[in-house]
Amino acid sequence: MALHLRKCFILPIRSRLVLPQQRIKSVYTTCDGFNEEEIREKLQRFPGGSVDLSKQTSGIAVLTVNNPGRMNAFTGTMMGELKDRVDELEQWTDGKGLIVQGAASTFCSGSDLNAVRAISNPQDGMKMCMLMQNTLTRLLRLPLVSVALVEGKALGGGAELTTACDFRLMAPGSEIRFVHKHMGLVPGWGGAARLVRIVGSKNALQLLSTARRVDPDYAVSIGLAEEILASDVSRSLDQAQKWLSDHTKGPSPVIRALKKVVISGRELPLDEALRTEKQVFGTVWGGPANLEALAQGPKHKGHNTDD
Ligand SMILES: C[C@@H](C(=O)O)C(=O)SCCNC(=O)CCNC(=O)[C@H](O)C(C)(C)COP(=O)(O)OP(=O)(O)OC[C@H]1O[C@@H](n2cnc3c(N)ncnc32)[C@H](O)[C@@H]1OP(=O)(O)O
């Protein structure tokens, strides 16, 4: 074990965040006994569905959990595909926004119970856990403003997936539900750690210990969701696109830099967050967008500076 550890290079937390010109690092590495190939090979035995990604010239991408015959439950192969899509998004340097949705107007009903039954031993469960925690942590750390578009049901791992986005928009009648207690489980994809940071530990403990249905009104009241969409289900994605484009108006490098400084403010001790902020500031100060704004002179007279 000692020899094994000496071979590992444990990255300090600051180097695991998204820094300029640096790949986002994973939570678990070989030092933690994590072998991605091994768990992905095991999960390959549970095929079905897909995780689709469409990147638009607007700088907004749409990631779709696509397994409608099973309420968009994650099969084993879909867990691997989600990781591959996050890899793709990390390489997408023109991007500034991301919408995560489910197919057929419902979000996601968590892990495919058939896969769960087949890997229900602690060792395999924790390996699946490490794969999904790595992926969802990197998803949240992408330099993209991300929104979970919640229609229908987001249950179990599906509820955890909503917490791996910066924001949540909910369609009328939709629900987020941490059903883990009823499965004799706790969240394993990082959903508990993120939920505490979103709604606070009291609300998080209530949602987990009651496994209650969180409808849009309640979600907004506890800060789990930003807004409730208009009732026209056929336009949910359009509404989410409009909401996100309003929140990402401006040059992509600036929007990406803003997400980076918020990530470091959220995850790093103050001194390190300040150092990261200075580093990111250096990537935009005197950059094209800054120089163009200076050339235009003062323009922020009205309340809405986006006019
Ligand atoms: C903890 C976390 C983890 O892995 O760490 C997890 O996510 S464990 C998984 C946590 N998720 C759950 O416990 C949700 C389980 N699913 C449900 O409670 C229900 O299906 C709802 C999602 C509420 C939808 O109910 P509804 O009556 O509308 O439809 P339904 O139940 O007939 O489901 C339609 C079809 O989707 C399938 N289906 C639904 N959810 C599934 C799932 N998670 N895994 C595998 N199949 C699933 C059903 O078996 C059914 O297939 P057939 O027509 O062929 O019968």
Side-chain angles (χ1 to χ4, degrees):
M1 186 59 178
L3 181 63
H4 170 68
L5 280 180
R6 260 205 298 279
K7 277 191 300 183
C8 292
F9 172 54
I10 299 176
L11 297 162
I13 178 69
R14 65 176 172 281
S15 64
R16 293 189 181 186
L17 297 179
V18 56
L19 301 180
Q21 291 81 39
Q22 185 158 11
R23 252 182 56 71
I24 303 172
K25 299 290 184 293
S26 297
V27 179
Y28 300 102
T29 66
T30 47
C31 300
D32 307 288
F34 178 60
N35 179 331
E36 181 181 316
E37 286 68 37
E38 180 206 344
I39 184 61
R40 285 194 67 163
E41 208 172 288
K42 195 158 280 195
L43 289 169
Q44 284 296 109
R45 297 202 318 254
F46 311 105
S50 64
V51 178
D52 309 325
L53 179 65
S54 133
K55 292 179 283 191
Q56 298 160 6
T57 50
S58 62
I60 288 178
V62 181
L63 185 138
T64 304
V65 182
N66 189 2
N67 190 14
R70 295 201 168 285
M71 305 297 279
N72 298 328
F74 268 96
T75 62
T77 49
M78 287 169 71
M79 291 181 192
E81 284 194 23
L82 179 63
K83 192 261 178 194
D84 296 339
R85 298 295 88 75
V86 171
D87 287 349
E88 235 177 291
L89 286 165
E90 284 181 352
Q91 304 307 318
W92 186 39
T93 52
D94 299 334
K96 55 184 180 178
L98 174 68
I99 295 170
V100 176
Q101 63 166 8
S105 303
T106 191
F107 192 73
C108 169
S109 67
S111 294
D112 182 321
L113 291 167
N114 305 308
V116 168
R117 288 185 193 100
I119 58 165
S120 55
N121 65 81
Q123 288 68 34
D124 286 342
M126 284 195 284
K127 288 171 186 169
M128 178 268 288
C129 202
M130 289 193 277
L131 174 69
M132 289 303 285
Q133 281 195 12
N134 271 358
T135 301
L136 294 184
T137 303
R138 288 167 55 211
L139 173 67
L140 184 55
R141 285 178 179 165
L142 285 167
L144 307 173
V145 179
S146 58
V147 179
L149 168 54
V150 181
E151 300 173 282
K153 298 185 190 320
L155 306 182
E160 297 190 65
L161 176 57
T162 71
T163 67
C165 295
D166 298 307
F167 301 106
R168 282 144 295 280
L169 299 175
M170 293 180 75
S174 63
E175 67 177 77
I176 296 174
R177 197 170 196 171
F178 293 85
V179 296
H180 305 77
K181 175 178 86 165
H182 296 317
M183 306 286 297
L185 291 170
V186 299
W189 295 359
R194 293 188 297 270
L195 187 63
V196 168
R197 284 158 175 75
I198 294 169
V199 300
S201 56
K202 285 201 305 184
N203 282 322
L205 186 53
Q206 271 209 19
L207 297 191
L208 295 177
S209 61
T210 60
R212 65 164 285 174
R213 179 177 177 277
V214 182
D215 64 27
D217 288 324
Y218 185 61
V220 170
S221 72
I222 61 171
L224 182 55
E226 274 51 55
E227 275 183 38
I228 303 170
L229 299 174
S231 54
D232 181 354
V233 174
S234 64
R235 292 188 46 254
S236 294
L237 182 55
D238 291 345
Q239 292 179 68
Q241 296 254 21
K242 169 79 173 62
W243 190 92
L244 188 51
S245 59
D246 289 347
H247 283 70
T248 56
K249 232 177 245 176
S252 165
V254 175
I255 303 297
R256 293 168 70 89
L258 289 169
K259 173 67 184 281
K260 288 176 185 176
V261 295
V262 168
I263 293 169
S264 61
R266 180 176 63 208
E267 299 195 15
L268 290 175
L270 181 59
D271 282 7
E272 294 189 39
L274 295 174
R275 288 174 192 284
T276 304
E277 190 168 308
K278 179 259 297 174
Q279 215 177 337
V280 176
F281 178 82
T283 67
V284 289
W285 176 264
N290 178 226
L291 296 177
E292 188 186 333
L294 291 173
Q296 285 173 5
K299 60 172 182 173
H300 308 307
K301 296 187 178 59
H303 286 298
N304 182 350
T305 54
D306 282 340
D307 290 341

